[in-house]
Amino acid sequence: MRPSTQASGPARRRVATGTAAAFLGVAVAFGNGLASPASAAESTTLSGIILGVGANESQRTVTWYSADDTAQKVQLVPTAQLANGEFPADAAVFDATGGANIATSGGYNRHATITGLKEHTAYSYRVGGDGNWSATYSFKTQDFEGNYDFLFYGDPQIGSSGNIAKDQAGWQDTLDVSLGANPDAELLVSGGDQVETANTESQWNAFLAPDKLRQYPWAATIGNHDVGGKAYEQHLYTPNTDRSAPYYSNGNPTSNTSGGDYWFIYKDTLFIDLNSNSYATSQGGGGDAAHINYVTDVINKHGSEAKWKVLVYHHAIYSPAAHAKDNDNKVRRTDFPTTFSKLGVDLVLQGHDHSYSRSYLIKNGQKENPDEQPGAADVYPGPGGVLYVTSNSASGSKYYDITKPDSSATSGAGNGADPLNPDSYWYNSTQNQEHVRSYVKVGVRNDKLVVENLRSGTCQAPNAAVELGQVNCTNTPEGKPVGSVVDKVTVHPYHGNGQDLQVDVPEAAPGEFGWTIDGYNGLVDLGTAKEHDGEYFQANGKINPILVSDSRRSLAPWSISANVTDFKDADKSFSGAYLGWTPNVLQDGAGAKASGSVASGYDDNGQGLSVSRGLASAEQGHAKGKAKLGADLDLKIPGSVNKGTYRATLTITALSS
């Protein structure tokens, strides 16, 4: 037998403890380790379940509502370990926290953070507690390094059309279309305005209805339609969130409003998400100045941990429709861009204006290169060049038409015309409004960002604003079908005046920890016990040597232990407690250190080897290698034991993390 447990690879990962066992002697037995079936789920008491992003790629959050104020948790297991759909007894458990919802929502909210995920693994999870579990949902992890795609969705704003069911249908279809075309997308990023009315649970229920939101992590963003109540915070828990007063528009986190700024790192991307509803100190919060300080602090502390810096907030400062001329957006357009340029931000994702636009590269609030052409397929930002993208409606609940440039200015906070394209604002390279649903796909690559705006619908249903006659639509499935490209640009980063060098290092084999009997696993024959003055019998011997091998990169600790059954001969027996031993290391290696001696229970009225006792172990950080372990056995049997040939089984267990 060569059982083993494997160690983890790169940093920010955790590997669960594993065990392996073999037996010396003639008996071999295995247990399946599965619990008896859980009680039937009462999923009607648990609702609004949504998978969220964690602080890094090895984490996820789960948020849900409960009708009862009870202790709850998330159970998690690799999907391959489910037995007939049942969770094993050793499934990972993550305790939930939360509190009472606002009166109009009713019930209670709960959230938990899943940690220690491994890459390339399918997981299944459920929420609740013993006897009251939700249905089981699944998600998968992918490579924790390298290229990946994420999808960005603008303003589902369920309820905005006046018909929740139609809005939900469009939202569901966009998720189905986008993830059907991109099943390996790793994040779903929000542009804000999940719902029309902040505390209307029927709208939240419709937004949360698609099962895709339980399979892919949602990176929430707060919009102006989300901010007016606590439901946003109660439905959408986010990592590393600063919920102090400056990041609330009214400066009061305890009021009936939502807020907060947060950040997370996914692979090589630092995401920073802002509550752009707080933009002026006259409202009571910290305004744009507080956000600038927050972004500066996060990038100074964590910017070096990532290749890319992506900001997300709701209120688009460079967009093509009516909101582009709002006074509050003109304030943000003055406050934000210079700081974003100085901090090396690569991409800014925005919502709010229910239309699509992609800016020119913007540096310090102005077009970086006056010669950059409208709709360029490739752009090359110099130091400080930032791309701003505004996404159209993901649900079809509301669209805003593109507005004409005015004469307020051609740079800075104004909305003047583009000299190269007078029908567009000076800052927009591309703008589009077809009154069809769309989403943005961002391909994060080693040395470029690929940004695409893709159609997720046509004029046909589901498209609530069109169906209800609120806007006209002339798009045809033949001319501009679902999945077709509205706009695509590749951003090639600036590398200074030198030459940057890059090399991909593949993941090394993780190595392996295991043990085996060294040589032939014959019967350990202790011979004929010798009588001592009629008081007891004594026999001595040695276990078959055990070879331990550890080639893991993690250099994690390990231990080998053993315990013995009772000695039996037909219907006669005596306790395994009478067997003791003195472990020793026969060949140094793998950090092996022998455990202490264990006396026969005959000597000290103890339990001897009838309970698990250490043979040898190694500490964290030990050297790789091999070790050979042995032990001298000492068996003392009371003189009252009947004559016979007795056998027992020594079970050996290996543990490592």
Side-chain angles (χ1 to χ4, degrees):
M1 298 177 60
R2 296 180 183 271
S4 66
T5 55
Q6 292 188 346
S8 68
R12 298 209 302 264
R13 306 185 203 169
R14 178 167 53 185
V15 177
T17 300
T19 62
F23 307 94
L24 303 181
V26 296
V28 181
F30 296 94
N32 63 14
L34 296 178
S36 57
S39 301
E42 298 176 13
S43 57
T44 55
T45 65
L46 304 165
S47 62
I49 300 169
I50 183 170
L51 187 68
V53 294
N56 57 51
E57 62 276 357
S58 71
Q59 297 184 7
R60 301 287 187 273
T61 59
V62 186
T63 312
W64 67 96
Y65 272 15
S66 169
D68 302 311
D69 189 14
T70 59
Q72 295 177 30
K73 54 197 172 187
V74 173
Q75 260 192 332
L76 177 84
V77 67
T79 302
Q81 295 181 20
L82 287 179
N84 298 320
E86 298 294 340
F87 283 68
D90 61 351
V93 173
F94 302 90
D95 292 332
T97 58
N101 288 329
I102 56 174
T104 55
S105 298
Y108 303 86
N109 63 83
R110 295 288 185 266
H111 65 264
T113 300
I114 296 171
T115 60
L117 297 173
K118 300 178 184 179
E119 60 184 355
H120 301 299
T121 305
Y123 287 97
S124 293
Y125 71 97
R126 60 184 182 178
V127 306
D130 294 338
N132 183 31
W133 292 106
S134 71
T136 298
Y137 303 100
S138 298
F139 65 89
K140 65 180 180 180
T141 60
Q142 299 183 49
D143 199 311
F144 282 178
E145 300 287 342
N147 299 337
Y148 75 102
D149 297 333
F150 70 86
L151 307 181
F152 176 61
Y153 301 93
D155 301 56
Q157 204 166 328
I158 305 299
S160 180
S161 74
N163 188 312
I164 292 176
K166 289 184 181 296
D167 294 350
Q168 177 183 333
W171 172 229
Q172 174 79 63
D173 195 55
T174 289
L175 288 175
D176 290 343
V177 166
S178 60
L179 291 168
N182 304 281
D184 292 327
E186 301 188 34
L187 299 176
L188 311 182
V189 179
S190 164
D193 279 0
Q194 277 77 192
V195 296
E196 167 73 8
T197 310
N199 288 334
T200 300
E201 283 303 315
S202 59
Q203 296 174 6
W204 280 105
N205 291 339
F207 168 76
L208 295 167
D211 265 353
K212 293 291 193 293
L213 295 178
R214 285 165 280 287
Q215 300 168 13
Y216 293 83
W218 181 253
T221 299
I222 188 169
N224 58 299
H225 286 267
D226 305 313
V227 75
K230 284 297 184 190
Y232 172 88
E233 290 182 4
Q234 292 164 353
H235 275 298
L236 302 171
Y237 183 77
T238 52
N240 299 323
T241 305
D242 191 331
R243 298 194 184 280
S244 55
Y247 310 114
Y248 283 74
S249 57
N250 62 4
N252 185 3
T254 63
S255 64
N256 186 24
T257 186
S258 291
D261 290 359
Y262 75 97
W263 65 273
F264 64 96
I265 292 177
Y266 193 86
K267 293 191 177 180
D268 284 325
T269 309
L270 171 61
F271 288 88
I272 304 176
D273 196 287
L274 306 177
N275 172 24
S276 57
N277 296 283
S278 175
Y279 75 96
T281 55
S282 59
Q283 299 172 305
D288 287 348
H291 298 311
I292 289 171
N293 290 338
Y294 182 84
V295 173
T296 302
D297 184 60
V298 171
I299 290 179
N300 285 341
K301 290 179 178 177
H302 303 286
S304 62
E305 300 172 31
K307 293 180 181 177
W308 305 100
K309 303 174 186 68
V310 176
L311 299 189
V312 188
Y313 52 80
H314 180 62
H315 294 80
I317 62 174
Y318 299 117
S319 61
H323 281 314
K325 299 181 180 181
D326 290 349
N327 288 332
D328 60 328
N329 271 334
K330 289 186 177 183
V331 171
R332 297 182 188 91
R333 202 182 305 152
T334 299
D335 292 344
F336 282 164
T338 298
T339 296
F340 295 170
S341 292
K342 289 181 178 179
L343 292 173
V345 171
D346 298 289
L347 176 65
V348 178
L349 299 173
Q350 311 159 117
H352 192 50
D353 218 8
H354 295 250
S355 51
Y356 173 76
S357 67
R358 179 242 296 186
S359 76
Y360 291 111
L361 294 172
I362 303 295
K363 179 179 180 180
N364 299 336
Q366 299 186 21
K367 186 178 178 182
E368 180 189 30
N369 177 8
D371 295 327
E372 182 187 337
Q373 294 300 300
D378 294 88
V379 295
Y380 301 85
V386 183
L387 186 74
Y388 294 77
V389 172
T390 304
S391 187
N392 205 342
S393 171
S395 68
S397 65
K398 180 192 292 185
Y399 304 102
Y400 290 140
D401 287 326
I402 292 173
T403 55
K404 295 291 184 181
D406 58 32
S407 57
S408 61
T410 56
S411 63
N415 299 95
D418 177 9
L420 302 177
N421 187 3
D423 288 334
S424 295
Y425 295 135
W426 66 267
Y427 42 75
N428 281 339
S429 172
T430 299
Q431 52 192 38
N432 176 272
Q433 180 58 279
E434 299 173 3
H435 300 153
V436 299
R437 294 177 284 113
S438 67
Y439 66 97
V440 173
K441 174 183 176 180
V442 180
V444 182
R445 304 295 181 258
N446 282 334
D447 198 40
K448 59 186 177 183
L449 295 176
V450 183
V451 182
E452 299 177 80
N453 186 43
L454 300 160
R455 298 177 180 90
S456 58
T458 65
C459 294
Q460 299 174 350
N463 195 346
V466 174
E467 292 178 70
L468 297 171
Q470 296 167 359
V471 294
N472 296 318
C473 183
T474 59
N475 190 338
T476 62
E478 297 78 17
K480 299 176 180 178
V482 170
S484 58
V485 177
V486 176
D487 179 44
K488 180 177 180 179
V489 62
T490 300
V491 183
H492 303 270
Y494 178 69
H495 292 291
N497 295 322
Q499 296 185 27
D500 289 342
L501 303 180
Q502 176 174 297
V503 61
D504 289 333
V505 179
E507 184 171 355
E512 193 172 60
F513 169 75
W515 66 270
T516 185
I517 305 300
D518 184 41
Y520 171 65
N521 185 21
L523 177 70
V524 178
D525 190 350
L526 301 182
T528 301
K530 295 180 180 180
E531 185 179 5
H532 286 260
D533 300 325
E535 296 293 328
Y536 65 93
F537 298 94
Q538 185 171 18
N540 301 99
K542 298 178 182 292
I543 66 170
N544 294 322
I546 295 173
L547 184 64
V548 173
S549 176
D550 194 352
S551 60
R552 297 171 300 170
R553 298 174 66 196
S554 64
L555 306 179
W558 60 262
S559 64
I560 302 286
S561 58
N563 63 285
V564 71
T565 64
D566 288 346
F567 286 78
K568 294 184 178 181
D569 178 12
D571 60 349
K572 298 175 291 185
S573 67
F574 63 86
S575 173
Y578 295 124
L579 180 66
W581 71 2
T582 300
N584 44 70
V585 177
L586 304 176
Q587 176 184 314
D588 290 333
K593 294 181 181 179
S595 301
S597 297
V598 177
S600 165
Y602 183 85
D603 291 332
D604 63 0
N605 293 317
Q607 295 177 293
L609 292 183
S610 67
V611 297
S612 182
R613 304 290 192 175
L615 175 64
S617 62
E619 298 177 348
Q620 173 69 44
H622 64 80
K624 299 178 183 178
K626 296 181 179 180
K628 189 181 294 185
L629 311 177
D632 298 325
L633 300 176
D634 179 28
L635 179 62
K636 291 182 179 178
I637 310 164
S640 58
V641 171
N642 293 324
K643 177 182 178 181
T645 300
Y646 294 80
R647 283 190 180 184
T649 300
L650 186 70
T651 301
I652 300 165
T653 303
L655 294 175
S656 186
S657 61

